[in-house]
Amino acid sequence: MKFWSQYFIPTLKESPADAEIASHKLLVRAGLVRKLGGGLYTYLPLGLRVMQKLTQICREEMERGGAIELWMPHVHPAEQWEQGPRWAAAREIMFRVDSAGSGKGRAKEPEYVLGPTHEEVITPLIKAEITSYRDLPKNFFQIATKFRNEIRPRYGLMRAKEFVMMDAYSFDADDAGATKSYLAMKAAYENFFRRIGAQAIAVEADTGVMGGSFSHEFMVPAEVGDDDVIYNEESDYAANREKATSALVPPDLKDAPPSGAIEEFATPGIVTIAALEAVPYSVPADQQFKTLVYMGDGKPFLVILRGCDELEEAKLGALGFTLRRPATAEEIEPVLGAKPGSLGAVKGSIKNPAALAGIFADHAIRLVGNGTTGANKDGFHLRHVNVVRDLAITQFGDFRRVRPGEPDPKSGQPLKVRRGIEVGHIFKLGTKYSEKYNAVYTDDQKQSHLMIMGCYGIGISRTLQAVIEQSHDADGIVWPWLAAPFQVLVCVLDPQLPEAMELAKKIGVAAEQAGADVLIDDRAERPGVKFKDADLIGIPLRVTIGGKGLKEGIVELKWRTKKEVVKIPIAEVEKQLAEAVVQASAQA
RNA sequence: CGGGGUGUAGCUUAGCCUGGUAGAGCGCCUGGUUUGGGACCAGGAGGUCGCAGGUUCGAAUCCUGUCGCCCCGACCA
């Protein structure tokens, strides 16, 4: 039981100028956090309590899902990462630490880095400690502060440089076991988000820099989210935009026969799809081939799309390059023979085909059949280009960005799009890390095998804010029962009356015994201030003790989610409150 | 890192264009009146106008640089 006057809940009437979204404003106004610097926040007592609620529930669900808690350092020797598979890709976001005057002369490489996640730490650990199939499977987790030097911190805790994350790593003897571990974690996540009152949905996701074979993101739908979720509720299809596909190309599509011999025609100054669509050329975008050039680990490669489609860059990850970026005009011309705007992939038109790492085409270009593309000659295009006959394609794949309204891949229903906040991510990693660190075990036939890994993360601090974003009204936060810093607020309007405070303590004890955390507002403030603050900090259940009520022999009970106030005789309040607490706990 | 914006009291801000004693609201302190949805009256404390240069008789205001913060883009829990 905490007494407000002795506690520390600095609420604000006005929102800080740097807060843009509702949850960020409320975090500050309700006295949960204060900013130290960009992406760096102090958790005030109330904010810390919520964090502790979330971590404890997360811990319980992870343990129920078979994971074992441990704790790893967050200062990592840089060598640990240099030996790992993603140093090149991850070093940008890592804080570097150098012990002063170490004299090691490592001008370019840091001595230590602060951990953004822990695959590079746990995999060598498990390689050293686990060598037998008898000790598998194992799944380890920790709940700890993570460090990422976000280029652009945003929205309070939503994207911070230092944040709290639960990260878990599973090790299995075989693929079936790894899938089982993955599904156990998926269930644990679902339980966690359900218990804390967050409406999070699992969507198929891109594996990104983590690598691995498949993955789900847990998204809290919210307008302020950073990600687009492509979904259709009837078919149950849901995927991150980076991963989403559609059934645009019918499986039985027959490739169009050539419409004629390739014809070159002059297009002086025409370097965009839109310009070629206009008169006098009048070539619809969906009758054009778009040719993009990227650099993959230093070698250029081509991506061919329909003129009307956009590249979904994340899908290029499937090609397996470690480092990838758009090519510059200077890099393109010597290889293709023309500047961007006149590029194409027609056999024989490419100046130096041997320099290319490949030509990758989106399936959807088969819908074009015969189209127009650049001639690899500035100011010229080619028409009657046939996909099968003329394009030098290495491999077809899914590279285009889906659009709302396209048929979903499960049922053909139109796809929809909405924004979401990514609060959790699970990956089936496979052997990417175990291979790199040679994490092997011996089976019962004395054979060595690579362990199959999975990794799992929940952004606890981000989840805290996502819950607020999802659960607030004009007056303040509306905490779900188990996420709330306190479940019961006893609001004493006349704390100078000894009998009022006596009753408040009795009620508080009863609520605590029923399993609630109790805050007593005993401040010498006017009732209006107390009610406003109560709504702002969003405690689910409020008990009001007023001078008038005391005379009438009643107190008031009000849920934060409801408008009505229930008057209860003082003699019954302890019992009724205890029942309400027990019931709310049972439902949560 | 590219583009845009902004920095004035603990918080929210006016003043800047057009240079001339730095203002308000909230919060805080004192006293009084109030007391069921952010009370009122009276008095009071609190500001190197982000920092450093420059222009000027004179700079919060104009110029240059620099730092912080916010927004848009690429990345992520």
Side-chain angles (χ1 to χ4, degrees):
Chain A
M1 200 180 329
K2 292 276 190 281
F3 292 87
W4 196 316
S5 67
Q6 311 296 313
Y7 204 53
F8 185 66
I9 309 174
T11 58
L12 298 174
K13 281 188 189 175
E14 279 172 306
S15 299
D18 59 11
E20 182 90 350
I21 63 173
S23 54
H24 185 189
K25 290 176 184 170
L26 288 171
L27 274 172
V28 179
R29 285 191 56 212
L32 277 76
V33 303
R34 285 294 183 267
K35 181 164 77 174
L36 175 65
L40 301 169
Y41 287 85
T42 295
Y43 290 84
L44 300 175
L46 210 56
L48 180 62
R49 286 188 72 96
V50 178
M51 193 73 102
Q52 287 167 339
K53 297 281 175 106
L54 299 188
T55 53
Q56 184 51 33
I57 293 169
C58 182
R59 175 175 292 120
E60 286 168 19
E61 292 306 329
M62 290 303 290
E63 289 186 340
R64 192 135 63 119
I68 307 163
E69 189 167 12
L70 49 52
W71 180 273
M72 291 178 267
H74 294 86
V75 176
H76 302 170
E79 288 89 350
Q80 200 79 19
W81 280 79
E82 287 164 12
Q83 289 158 15
R86 57 179 175 162
W87 172 239
R91 55 186 301 172
E92 299 285 304
I93 60 145
M94 288 198 282
F95 286 103
R96 294 136 173 266
V97 182
D98 282 286
S99 44
S102 67
K104 286 182 89 178
R106 310 174 54 124
K108 285 190 172 162
E109 299 301 320
E111 213 174 330
Y112 298 99
V113 294
L114 297 184
T117 69
H118 282 72
E119 285 80 2
E120 280 76 359
V121 174
I122 197 153
T123 313
L125 174 81
I126 298 307
K127 172 209 161 36
E129 301 299 330
I130 296 184
T131 51
S132 161
Y133 73 99
R134 295 175 199 273
D135 295 323
L136 294 176
K138 281 282 183 290
N139 187 353
F140 297 98
F141 77 100
Q142 63 175 352
I143 301 174
T145 302
K146 293 285 182 289
F147 300 90
R148 286 186 198 172
N149 194 9
E150 290 291 342
I151 302 155
R152 187 183 160 208
R154 212 195 312 216
Y155 294 153
L157 305 180
M158 208 63 100
R159 188 189 308 186
K161 293 189 174 189
E162 185 184 316
F163 58 99
V164 174
M165 181 167 125
M166 184 291 299
D167 50 319
Y169 309 89
S170 67
F171 298 82
D172 274 274
D174 55 31
D175 195 71
T179 299
K180 206 175 149 194
S181 296
Y182 182 90
L183 293 176
M185 285 297 99
K186 187 156 180 274
Y189 274 40
E190 280 159 359
N191 291 336
F192 168 71
F193 289 116
R194 181 180 41 72
R195 282 183 69 193
I196 64 162
Q199 324 288 319
I201 51 168
V203 311
E204 292 176 28
D206 183 65
T207 52
V209 69
M210 299 297 306
S213 46
F214 57 86
S215 151
H216 283 87
E217 279 172 0
F218 283 76
M219 309 285 287
V220 169
E223 281 312 306
V224 299
D226 276 349
D227 294 271
D228 281 330
V229 178
I230 310 289
Y231 71 102
N232 181 284
E233 58 276 73
E234 281 163 54
S235 73
D236 231 20
Y237 179 80
N240 188 303
R241 156 151 280 160
E242 294 181 347
K243 170 87 177 177
T245 68
S246 66
L248 202 61
V249 182
D252 56 352
L253 178 78
K254 290 206 172 62
D255 284 301
S259 56
I262 292 186
E263 243 176 65
E264 185 179 281
F265 61 108
T267 50
I270 302 300
V271 293
T272 62
I273 301 283
L276 203 56
E277 265 194 297
V279 283
Y281 307 103
S282 304
V283 184
D286 61 6
Q287 294 297 309
Q288 300 185 38
F289 299 108
K290 181 187 281 189
T291 307
L292 302 174
V293 189
Y294 272 75
M295 301 298 286
D297 296 331
K299 266 187 111 177
F301 65 91
L302 304 187
V303 184
I304 317 298
L305 299 157
R306 293 193 300 173
C308 57
D309 284 336
E310 294 294 322
L311 172 68
E312 182 57 65
E313 246 190 273
K315 291 182 177 176
L316 296 180
L319 300 176
F321 298 107
T322 305
L323 288 178
R324 146 175 55 81
R325 60 171 173 83
T328 63
E330 292 70 40
E331 289 165 334
I332 292 169
E333 207 172 349
V335 179
L336 291 190
K339 295 186 187 72
S342 304
L343 305 180
V346 173
K347 291 171 191 163
S349 76
I350 298 167
K351 191 173 170 190
N352 183 9
L356 290 173
I359 298 175
F360 305 97
D362 186 84
H363 296 297
I365 67 163
R366 293 178 55 215
L367 295 169
V368 179
N370 296 283
T372 299
T373 190
N376 289 328
K377 200 166 133 190
D378 289 333
F380 289 91
H381 280 76
L382 304 173
R383 60 167 74 98
H384 298 301
V385 172
N386 182 269
V387 171
V388 180
R389 181 190 64 186
D390 302 321
L391 295 179
I393 291 161
T394 315
Q395 188 188 320
F396 279 92
D398 174 27
F399 302 111
R400 63 186 289 278
R401 166 175 283 206
V402 299
R403 287 198 192 80
E406 290 176 5
D408 102 66
K410 277 190 169 175
S411 68
Q413 307 268 8
L415 288 169
K416 299 176 194 171
V417 62
R418 73 185 298 185
R419 304 288 288 174
I421 301 165
E422 182 187 354
V423 288
H425 206 152
I426 54 181
F427 299 89
K428 189 175 166 196
L429 273 179
T431 56
K432 178 174 174 178
Y433 290 85
S434 44
E435 228 166 90
K436 193 77 187 180
Y437 291 100
N438 197 30
V440 296
Y441 67 95
T442 306
D443 69 11
D444 57 359
Q445 307 296 312
K446 303 177 190 172
Q447 296 293 306
S448 265
H449 302 280
L450 288 170
M451 298 182 198
I452 317 289
M453 290 176 59
C455 73
Y456 318 92
I458 292 177
I460 302 284
S461 42
R462 178 183 284 183
T463 300
L464 187 162
Q465 187 169 347
V467 169
I468 297 175
E469 190 62 37
Q470 196 171 56
S471 186
H472 71 271
D473 62 19
D475 295 315
I477 303 170
V478 183
W479 284 116
W481 186 255
L482 289 182
F486 296 92
Q487 277 79 42
V488 173
L489 173 66
V490 183
C491 199
V492 188
L493 297 187
D494 302 283
Q496 75 284 3
L497 297 177
E499 63 266 40
M501 283 306 295
E502 279 309 307
L503 179 59
K505 286 177 199 167
K506 263 173 69 181
I507 288 173
V509 169
E512 275 191 341
Q513 282 172 353
D517 288 324
V518 178
L519 176 65
I520 296 182
D521 186 356
D522 60 337
R523 294 174 302 165
E525 289 286 351
R526 295 167 59 85
V529 173
K530 296 192 170 209
F531 291 140
K532 286 289 181 188
D533 273 348
D535 288 344
L536 180 59
I537 69 169
I539 307 303
L541 189 50
R542 187 180 88 198
V543 182
T544 307
I545 301 173
K548 287 179 202 162
L550 277 180
K551 281 178 196 152
E552 294 168 36
I554 58 119
V555 298
E556 293 164 6
L557 204 141
K558 183 186 174 296
W559 292 94
R560 179 64 179 83
T561 49
K562 291 178 184 161
K563 257 203 121 70
E564 64 268 22
V565 173
V566 184
K567 295 189 176 181
I568 298 174
I570 287 174
E572 290 174 33
V573 65
E574 290 167 75
K575 181 164 163 284
Q576 285 205 27
L577 182 61
E579 279 170 12
V581 167
V582 168
Q583 201 184 346
S585 304
Q587 283 170 0

